[in-house]
Amino acid sequence: MTKKDGAGTERNASVGRAPPHLRLSRADYVFEALRERRRRVICRILQTTDDREIEDLAMDVATHESDDDERTVTNNEWELVFASLYHSHIPKLDDLEVVTYDDTTGIVNPGPRFEPVADVLSAVERVLTVGDDFLPRSDE
């Protein structure tokens, strides 16, 4: 919930501070959104679909992490991913307006600031896949 202070600056009413996107530089904003691997996976998934139920998104992320078929993801693995998405990653991305989350329906959608964040993620991944010599070899 936001409100304007005496100077007309929008403030986060729950903590009395400006919303995160007003406190960060553009680069910091994008890197904050993409800092955690699960947030990057969420952005990749939402690049291919307009909306996703959080339960299905948790299965998508768990499947990605297991490098396997969703049929092999255990209920415990799904629950751990779901909990981290529900309590940490989705709220963070929602605060940054990268996604919007409707708690009544459980639907996650790309938010008003999704495109620039997704574009940076795609650009970084494109640059890093150009050559296989970016990371040092384990035998060196």
Side-chain angles (χ1 to χ4, degrees), residues 30-31 34 36-48 64 114 116-132 134:
V30 171
F31 292 130
L34 298 174
E36 299 290 334
R37 182 174 37 88
R38 285 184 176 167
R39 290 187 215 151
R40 295 189 297 272
V41 173
I42 290 166
C43 288
R44 280 188 217 112
I45 292 165
L46 292 177
Q47 283 178 303
T48 62
H64 174 81
F114 179 80
V117 171
D119 288 348
V120 168
L121 177 60
S122 294
V124 168
E125 289 177 336
R126 192 171 37 256
V127 167
L128 295 180
T129 58
V130 169
D132 62 357
F134 176 74

Side-chain angles (χ1 to χ4, degrees), residues 65-77:
E65 289 178 357
S66 71
D67 290 327
D68 216 335
D69 191 302
E70 80 177 43
R71 292 174 290 188
T72 63
V73 173
T74 67
N75 192 50
N76 186 53
E77 290 169 329

Side-chain angles (χ1 to χ4, degrees), residues 6 10 22 24 37 40 47 49 52 54 125 138:
E10 195 174 72
L22 295 179
L24 299 172
R37 182 174 37 88
R40 295 189 297 272
Q47 283 178 303
T49 182
R52 202 79 175 120
I54 192 168
E125 289 177 336
S138 60

Side-chain angles (χ1 to χ4, degrees), residues 1-3 5 10-20 23 95:
M1 185 166 118
T2 59
K3 65 179 181 179
D5 65 10
E10 195 174 72
R11 300 276 178 200
N12 187 326
S14 63
V15 294
R17 297 177 6 184
R23 293 191 312 264
D95 285 347

Side-chain angles (χ1 to χ4, degrees), residues 80-131:
L80 291 171
V81 172
F82 177 83
S84 79
L85 266 57
Y86 184 80
H87 292 290
S88 178
H89 302 299
I90 296 300
K92 180 65 170 184
L93 291 172
D94 191 36
D95 285 347
L96 292 170
E97 298 179 347
V98 175
V99 303
T100 58
Y101 176 66
D102 185 334
D103 203 5
T104 59
T105 64
I107 299 291
V108 180
N109 289 298
R113 298 178 186 270
F114 179 80
E115 287 302 322
V117 171
D119 288 348
V120 168
L121 177 60
S122 294
V124 168
E125 289 177 336
R126 192 171 37 256
V127 167
L128 295 180
T129 58
V130 169

